[in-house]
Amino acid sequence: MPGMAGMDHSKMDHSATAAPTADDMAGMDMSHPMTGALGPYAMSREASGTAWQPDASTHEGVHVMRGPWMVMLHGVLTGVYSSQDGPRGDDKAFAAGMLMAMAQRPVGEAGTLQLRVMVSPDPLMGKRGYPLLLASGETADGAAPLVDRQHPHDLFMELSASYSYRLSGKDSVFVYAGLPGEPAFGPPAFMHRLSIMDSPEAPISHHWLDSTHITFGVLTAGYIHDGWKVEASRFHGREPDQHRYDIETGDLDSTAVRLSWNPTANWSLQTSWADVKSPEQLDPGENQKKWSASAIYTVPVGDSGWWSTTAAWGRRSSGHEDLDAWMLESAVKPNAAWTIFARAERTENNELTSLGGHHGPTYTVGKASLGAIRDWRLSEHLTFGVGGLYVLNFLPRGLEPAYGGDPSGAMAFIRLKLN
Ligand SMILES: [Cu+2]
């Protein structure tokens, strides 16, 4: 970070009123504690979009004070080699990750403004994304659905602004707007969930639970009381198209509603509903109703470690068919060096044998993965990690011939992380 002195959040002295230093970094102002952008609670509660995680979550990243602004930077760049077995498998080397900048400042006596920019290197991996057996959703060419592959994310994953107004020491109201941004649906997006963010592998339940994290046009309003949050969004229902470098626009034709509850510092619960207009480019006549419920549990381990677990259920419903997904994931960081993570999923998917956007029969499939990463600290704000994971896929009898039984897969990866 040339010209920018970083500050470790955990080491920041909140009681000091420091004078600006030579590199123009001002100290923490006592009237301006490290609270959330949306309400008067610990900043560590805020995850992607307006979603919550437990207050006990570790909050990594570089924090800098610039006058009234607090700037936070988060970044991860992962180089991955993925090998997925069987006739529908493939091998590929690719880069994934994100860079996120947030700037927050008080406005008047009781207001807080936050601006966010999040970009992704995913478009560089090519329009067909990377091999991921049993994943489906979006398209590479505007004609064929992506199946057994994870789509690349758009270059701009979030460009958003929020404003909150404190009504009391426990109550606030807020508005959030993003182009793109994340509507009030589901748990935090997978790359922001402590329980799996160290894994470079996307979940196959993505299009049930958190694929709306990149939505081109979102407006959300909410009310927070203590550990409770209720919020509603209007958003553009169509998923991002195959052009991953652009900003798309369209009507705010869809609705989402979410109720979140953090009963203690260790728990974060939510349930949400969405009515999504024409999400799929290849099946524009189809609308979806979605439901989700999730629970995240996070506890500190030892001096600097943590353990975080997420359980989630999601349902997609269109026409007469309800398709469910279940997901359980957990990661433990016993010390600064190691992180071990695992995930199990089960989805009901009718896109695995679809033709030209027309859904095929529904199959219930499963996937389980287990991995670990070893990190080394390169400098105050940068770590380098080497990791790997192993995956097992579970197919129903009807799909075993197409996949060659129950294929396995593996990923090896290296990572640079700003923290
Ligand atoms: Cu995604």
Side-chain angles (χ1 to χ4, degrees):
M1 291 296 107
M4 206 188 266
M7 234 171 161
D8 185 333
H9 174 204
S10 58
K11 288 187 215 130
M12 207 178 259
D13 182 358
H14 290 215
S15 61
T17 310
T21 53
D23 56 13
D24 194 33
M25 187 182 72
M28 206 71 204
D29 179 344
M30 280 186 71
S31 64
H32 173 199
M34 307 275 278
T35 58
L38 304 181
Y41 47 71
M43 198 169 69
S44 56
R45 187 185 294 184
E46 292 181 343
S48 63
T50 57
W52 278 359
Q53 60 188 357
D55 294 20
S57 308
T58 61
H59 194 85
E60 294 184 321
V62 181
H63 295 238
V64 187
M65 297 304 302
R66 291 259 163 169
W69 290 95
M70 175 175 60
V71 179
M72 292 161 278
L73 296 170
H74 301 260
V76 55
L77 182 63
T78 310
V80 186
Y81 184 77
S82 170
S83 176
Q84 309 286 321
D85 291 343
R88 295 178 68 156
D90 196 4
D91 292 356
K92 187 177 170 74
F94 62 93
M98 59 138 171
L99 183 64
M100 184 173 189
M102 295 187 276
Q104 183 174 324
R105 64 164 293 167
V107 178
E109 278 296 291
T112 302
L113 175 70
Q114 191 188 64
L115 309 173
R116 288 191 194 182
V117 176
M118 180 165 35
V119 293
S120 162
D122 279 18
L124 296 171
M125 71 175 71
K127 290 190 169 186
R128 294 186 68 234
Y130 61 87
L132 186 70
L133 291 176
L134 305 178
S136 66
E138 305 191 15
T139 175
D141 55 7
L146 276 170
V147 178
D148 296 313
R149 304 191 72 89
Q150 166 64 30
H151 61 78
H153 287 113
D154 282 61
L155 168 65
F156 292 107
M157 295 211 286
E158 184 170 10
L159 295 169
S160 73
S162 68
Y163 172 78
S164 69
Y165 187 83
R166 242 179 1 263
L167 302 170
S168 78
K170 284 187 173 179
D171 299 80
S172 64
V173 287
F174 69 88
V175 288
Y176 164 94
L179 183 69
E182 183 180 310
F185 183 81
F190 69 90
M191 61 274 275
H192 302 276
R193 288 199 298 266
L194 202 53
S195 51
I196 205 67
M197 62 166 57
D198 289 280
S199 172
E201 182 191 42
I204 60 169
S205 54
H206 193 39
H207 283 266
W208 280 256
L209 294 172
D210 53 358
S211 63
T212 46
H213 68 116
I214 303 179
T215 292
F216 281 100
V218 191
L219 204 54
T220 301
Y223 169 66
I224 290 163
H225 172 72
D226 207 1
W228 293 87
K229 170 164 58 77
V230 59
E231 57 192 321
S233 300
R234 286 289 285 171
F235 65 100
H236 184 53
R238 176 60 56 85
E239 292 173 340
D241 66 16
Q242 69 273 23
H243 306 292
R244 302 292 176 180
Y245 292 97
D246 63 350
I247 300 279
E248 297 161 46
T249 56
D251 295 343
L252 303 185
D253 52 12
S254 302
T255 305
V257 179
R258 177 166 59 195
L259 179 66
S260 305
W261 184 33
N262 280 24
T264 73
N266 303 110
W267 284 97
S268 186
L269 316 173
Q270 69 83 30
T271 182
S272 46
W273 171 88
D275 179 12
V276 191
K277 290 283 176 287
S278 187
E280 294 179 49
Q281 182 181 351
L282 302 182
D283 198 354
E286 184 189 289
N287 301 323
Q288 283 181 2
K289 296 267 197 307
K290 293 172 102 174
W291 288 262
S292 86
S294 63
I296 307 177
Y297 178 71
T298 302
V299 279
V301 170
D303 288 343
S304 61
W306 47 261
W307 176 41
S308 181
T309 302
T310 302
W313 162 81
R315 171 170 289 178
R316 285 158 56 169
S317 175
S318 52
H320 308 291
E321 200 170 21
D322 294 337
L323 300 176
D324 285 0
W326 297 89
M327 191 222 41
L328 178 66
E329 67 192 13
S330 193
V332 61
K333 189 175 176 72
N335 52 51
W338 286 95
T339 311
I340 298 147
F341 51 84
R343 175 164 58 208
E345 293 171 282
R346 182 178 185 272
T347 66
E348 295 169 353
N349 194 326
N350 63 8
E351 295 170 358
L352 296 173
T353 57
S354 64
L355 278 174
H358 297 287
H359 297 322
T362 297
Y363 294 102
T364 300
V365 298
K367 185 171 198 128
S369 46
L370 175 67
I373 179 165
R374 168 74 163 91
D375 283 305
W376 289 268
R377 185 154 292 284
L378 298 182
S379 71
E380 193 188 350
H381 290 296
L382 197 64
T383 55
F384 171 74
V386 177
L389 66 91
Y390 185 74
V391 196
L392 278 175
N393 296 281
F394 304 96
L395 280 299
R397 188 155 298 161
L399 273 182
E400 280 183 348
Y403 282 85
D406 290 327
S408 59
M411 288 184 176
F413 57 97
I414 53 172
R415 169 179 86 173
L416 281 174
K417 190 173 186 182
L418 199 61
N419 56 13

